[in-house]
Amino acid sequence: MRYAFIVWFGCTTAAAGCTSWHAQSSPAPEVVARMNGGGAVRVQRHDHSWLVLRGPRVEGDSIIGMAGSPPGRTAVAVADVERIDARRVSATKMGGLAAGTILLLIAAAGIAAAAAFADSFGA
């Protein structure tokens, strides 16, 4: 049970690394509306400062979400948004993770088989 948790934790942590920010070509309100209050967006304002909003939604002429540490309700006027990025899963990174995991499992199985084979003839 303990090893299953370690494997699960390792896989979920590694899979989280398979995401990256992707610039969105749609206007900011459309991007946020498609997310339906889930995920996170990275907003670049006209003054070139960046802000990450979690759970974003559009209210009136603003994009509202949680930002900062500790998290607080934050609003950015749509007129102040120069660029908006959304977090997406990278197929390339996920494929590399899957291939690496399979190779690791094959290597572990080979080492275990070799150890069992050596024990059966060494005893």
Side-chain angles (χ1 to χ4, degrees):
M1 180 73 172
R2 180 175 160 187
Y3 295 112
F5 173 76
I6 292 170
V7 170
W8 171 83
F9 182 76
C11 288
T12 55
T13 303
C18 294
T19 63
S20 56
W21 294 106
H22 295 275
Q24 304 298 297
S25 58
S26 302
E30 288 180 23
V31 171
V32 173
R34 277 196 312 261
M35 297 183 78
N36 198 22
V41 293
R42 185 171 64 177
V43 176
Q44 182 180 18
R45 297 179 220 161
H46 289 298
D47 66 358
H48 298 288
S49 64
W50 289 94
L51 179 66
V52 176
L53 295 173
R54 290 177 300 285
R57 62 189 182 286
V58 177
E59 288 186 15
D61 64 347
S62 298
I63 300 171
I64 298 173
M66 301 298 283
S69 180
R73 186 174 187 263
T74 305
V76 177
V78 172
D80 290 340
V81 174
E82 182 173 317
R83 175 180 161 172
I84 190 163
D85 298 344
R87 209 146 186 47
R88 300 277 184 246
V89 174
S90 169
T92 304
K93 290 179 183 178
M94 190 62 88
L97 174 65
T101 302
I102 290 169
L103 289 174
L104 183 64
L105 291 174
I106 291 170
I111 291 169
F117 184 74
D119 284 346
S120 67
F121 284 105

